[in-house]
Amino acid sequence: MAEKFPAIIVTKNDRLRVLLEAYLKEFDGYFESQEFSDSSELYNTLSSLSKSVLIVDFDDGALGEDFIKKVVADAPECVIVAVKENPEVDFIVKTVSLGVKEILSYPLLKDEFVQVMKNIYLRYVEPEQKPNKCKMITVFSNKGGIGKTSIACNLAFELAKITKENVALIDLNFQLGDITTFMNLSPNFDISYMLNNSNTLNKDFLLSTMEKYKNTSLYVLADPPYFKQAEGISKKQISNLIKALKETFSYIVVDTDANFDDKTITALDYSDLVFLVTIVNLPALRNCQRCLDLFEKLGYPDEKIQVLINRYMENDEISVDDVVKLLKKQIYWKIPNNYFALMASINKGVLLSELNSSSNVAQSYRDLAMHVSDSVFRNNLLKKFAADNMNKLDGFFGS
């Protein structure tokens, strides 16, 4: 099982806790979360997670009904499991009505507990692992100024050109978003408008309101033009938007800000691939290392997180081998440093391959888009390339 998510135990019974911790290790789908000092800290954690299991000892009264109701309302992806000594019918009816999904009798039977946890995993996690038509890629770094937005814009543009499929480019940097500047766009609608009209989020609505980039299949969803419009946007709204986008587009490319806030975590959770961007200097690499550690704690599969080096120079004092040793992870891609091409692109508000398609950095983005696109598109392109070149060879030998 590739993905893991936290199982949080709330009990004053030390014997029960030890037993639960031991049983959890029998099933690979979960990792045990830390203990919490009070219910407020627990609530804040649960409401920030996209998936979690809360195992509650109902015999010790540590959590009241009001708390359970609040978690059910504000953290719908949290599955609550009740543990109760000899649960009676009245308790079961009352607890289920609160939103508790599973009830286990204490003393616990190991096989029963493991089966319940397995069923939860299959019900709430594995369906999202099944391949669907959409591939979502998030470009992230917890350090600003290293080229995330440029990568997101150029990658999305190349994906649209190569695959001819509908591609969505989403600006989740609500404070300092730059996608519209990089692409010289003045959209009529932004992400706050979408979220305020969440009841109409369907294919027709999205394709008609998102800004189409020139004569391509790339659609842009801009950040709010005013800070105040971003206030109060919840992770549930972001989640609903992403679900609608996944039903509409073949690819989604997301540019985030540098903070691990609710909207960023939500995007990371839904992503099939996360490009963790760094440049080759010690401060950036240390930040990259911290991010890798955090992603591991969040339970993300290793293959989901890929390191991308931006502004790469072969003669850097720190070599790629040094970076691999430091991060303990292979480098997925290296985008070459080409300051003049990049600055000209940004200042003119056009993408790199539009400005100079033969530049090394434009070629790198084309190759990257080819690499991350679905194999069917790659195979079709290779077949077309082979056929075109075979016709040329036939013409040459036939002349």
Side-chain angles (χ1 to χ4, degrees), residues 5-192:
F5 65 103
I8 299 168
I9 301 168
V10 178
T11 181
K12 297 175 184 176
N13 185 335
D14 292 337
R15 184 177 178 182
L16 175 59
R17 177 179 293 280
V18 171
L19 200 62
L20 287 168
E21 290 172 352
Y23 289 172
L24 277 173
K25 293 177 182 176
E26 298 290 324
F27 185 70
D28 194 40
Y30 305 92
F31 64 91
E32 184 197 347
S33 183
Q34 73 273 21
E35 295 186 30
F36 299 89
S37 58
D38 55 40
S39 60
S40 295
E41 183 184 0
L42 174 59
Y43 168 78
N44 290 335
T45 299
L46 291 173
S47 60
S48 69
L49 293 169
S50 63
K51 303 181 185 76
S52 62
V53 171
L54 178 64
I55 305 171
V56 182
D57 180 2
F58 272 74
D59 285 319
D60 63 18
L63 298 178
E65 291 183 13
D66 290 341
F67 182 89
I68 298 297
K69 289 178 181 178
K70 195 172 183 183
V71 170
V72 170
D74 298 340
E77 296 299 321
C78 175
V79 183
I80 302 175
V81 178
V83 180
K84 173 76 173 174
E85 185 175 0
N86 300 321
E88 297 178 351
V89 174
D90 289 345
F91 171 81
I92 294 172
V93 172
K94 184 178 181 180
T95 308
V96 170
S97 68
L98 291 175
V100 174
K101 298 296 184 182
E102 301 284 352
I103 299 173
L104 292 170
S105 179
Y106 181 77
L108 287 176
L109 297 176
K110 175 183 173 182
D111 290 344
E112 182 182 2
F113 175 78
V114 172
Q115 187 60 50
V116 165
M117 298 303 285
K118 183 177 180 179
N119 291 342
I120 293 171
Y121 188 94
L122 293 172
R123 193 187 318 155
Y124 290 92
V125 178
E126 287 195 348
E128 293 187 8
Q129 300 298 316
K130 294 178 182 178
N132 56 40
K133 66 175 184 177
C134 180
K135 189 168 190 175
M136 179 168 165
I137 304 157
T138 293
V139 183
F140 178 79
S141 173
N142 67 338
K143 185 175 177 63
I146 62 173
K148 285 191 301 88
T149 301
S150 178
I151 292 168
C153 292
N154 284 283
L155 173 59
F157 180 62
E158 297 299 337
L159 279 171
K161 286 203 306 179
I162 287 172
T163 67
K164 308 302 181 187
E165 296 287 315
N166 286 341
V167 177
L169 175 59
I170 313 302
D171 198 337
L172 279 188
N173 189 343
F174 288 172
Q175 302 300 321
L176 298 170
D178 277 327
I179 283 178
T180 54
T181 303
F182 274 59
M183 303 176 76
N184 193 27
L185 294 174
S186 299
N188 294 317
F189 305 99
D190 58 73
I191 195 167
S192 63

Side-chain angles (χ1 to χ4, degrees), residues 182-333:
F182 274 59
M183 303 176 76
N184 193 27
L185 294 174
S186 299
N188 294 317
F189 305 99
D190 58 73
I191 195 167
S192 63
Y193 176 83
M194 294 289 189
L195 297 176
N196 289 328
N197 291 274
S198 56
N199 59 323
T200 57
L201 285 179
N202 55 47
K203 182 175 181 178
D204 292 337
F205 177 76
L206 289 169
L207 293 179
S208 63
T209 53
M210 291 175 67
E211 188 75 9
K212 191 173 183 181
Y213 183 68
K214 299 182 178 177
N215 190 28
T216 71
S217 57
L218 175 59
Y219 293 78
V220 179
L221 187 52
D223 62 307
Y226 306 107
F227 290 166
K228 193 170 183 179
Q229 290 177 287
E231 294 177 0
I233 291 177
S234 68
K235 69 169 189 175
K236 188 174 182 180
Q237 288 177 295
I238 298 295
S239 176
N240 291 338
L241 173 62
I242 290 174
K243 289 175 183 177
L245 290 167
K246 282 197 164 195
E247 291 298 318
T248 302
F249 293 90
S250 297
Y251 295 89
I252 303 169
V253 180
V254 180
D255 182 25
T256 66
D257 61 23
N259 299 313
F260 281 101
D261 55 16
D262 281 353
K263 68 180 184 304
T264 298
I265 293 290
T266 301
L268 293 170
D269 285 342
Y270 275 101
S271 296
D272 301 288
L273 180 63
V274 175
F275 282 140
L276 179 56
V277 183
T278 186
I279 54 177
V280 183
N281 64 42
L282 285 178
L285 291 172
R286 287 196 183 100
N287 278 327
C288 185
Q289 195 173 34
R290 293 189 188 102
C291 285
L292 288 172
D293 291 340
L294 181 57
F295 290 149
E296 183 178 0
K297 291 177 181 177
L298 288 171
Y300 294 159
D302 185 65
E303 64 273 13
K304 175 175 176 173
I305 311 298
Q306 298 295 342
V307 176
L308 189 153
I309 294 178
N310 196 25
R311 303 171 193 162
Y312 169 71
M313 294 187 292
E314 289 188 5
N315 297 322
D316 263 337
E317 184 178 352
I318 302 174
S319 69
V320 171
D321 288 341
D322 294 331
V323 175
V324 171
K325 288 177 184 177
L326 176 66
L327 300 180
K328 298 177 183 178
K329 187 174 180 68
Q330 292 298 318
I331 305 305
Y332 185 90
W333 205 261

